[in-house]
Amino acid sequence: HVQLVESGGGSVDAGGPLRLSCAASGYSSIVNCMGWYRQGIGEEREGVAAVDSDGRTDTADSVKGRFTISLDNARNTLYLQMNNLKPEDTAMYYCAASFLRVTAIEALDAEADFGYWGRGTQVTVS
């Protein structure tokens, strides 16, 4: 079965960087889209960044210019490079995968199309 395991979270000072990783395994079909979502305490989960099978990416306006999503197909690993972190970036970050025909642009508002989720990694910015 599909497994997604996030790592790389932690505590960081405002302005600092972190890189999240998501190791994917257990699937034989092509994953059409992968994304990063986050949920702060008392907040709804929101899309942060996504990449689809055509290599297109999209990032939320709140992180545009600071966060970069990338996918290493050889290692089956999804990354989120986060620079210039702000306290409002504090959240649990989740990796998600979809086998449905969803594009990166659609993904940020289409988490219901993502059937596979990791357990999350906490990012705290102070």
Side-chain angles (χ1 to χ4, degrees), residues 67-87:
F67 290 13
T68 303
I69 189 170
S70 61
L71 179 63
D72 185 334
N73 284 307
R75 291 184 169 85
N76 290 336
T77 302
L78 182 72
Y79 299 100
L80 185 68
Q81 178 66 45
M82 306 185 294
N83 296 327
N84 190 21
L85 281 160
K86 302 177 180 180

Side-chain angles (χ1 to χ4, degrees), residues 53-72:
S53 56
D54 290 329
R56 294 170 296 198
T57 64
D58 195 21
T59 51
D61 289 343
S62 59
V63 304
K64 209 172 288 285
R66 300 188 297 122
F67 290 13
T68 303
I69 189 170
S70 61
L71 179 63
D72 185 334

Side-chain angles (χ1 to χ4, degrees), residues 38-46 88 90-92 94 122:
R38 68 184 182 185
Q39 187 170 20
I41 296 176
E43 299 178 0
E44 293 186 357
R45 191 159 56 188
E46 62 174 350
E88 51 263 43
T90 295
M92 184 71 80
Y94 299 91
Q122 177 68 35

Side-chain angles (χ1 to χ4, degrees), residues 1-5 22-27 34 76 95 116-119:
H1 62 284
V2 177
Q3 279 195 310
L4 302 173
V5 180
C22 171
S25 62
Y27 55 90
M34 294 191 74
N76 290 336
C95 171
Y116 301 93
W117 293 81
R119 292 190 175 187

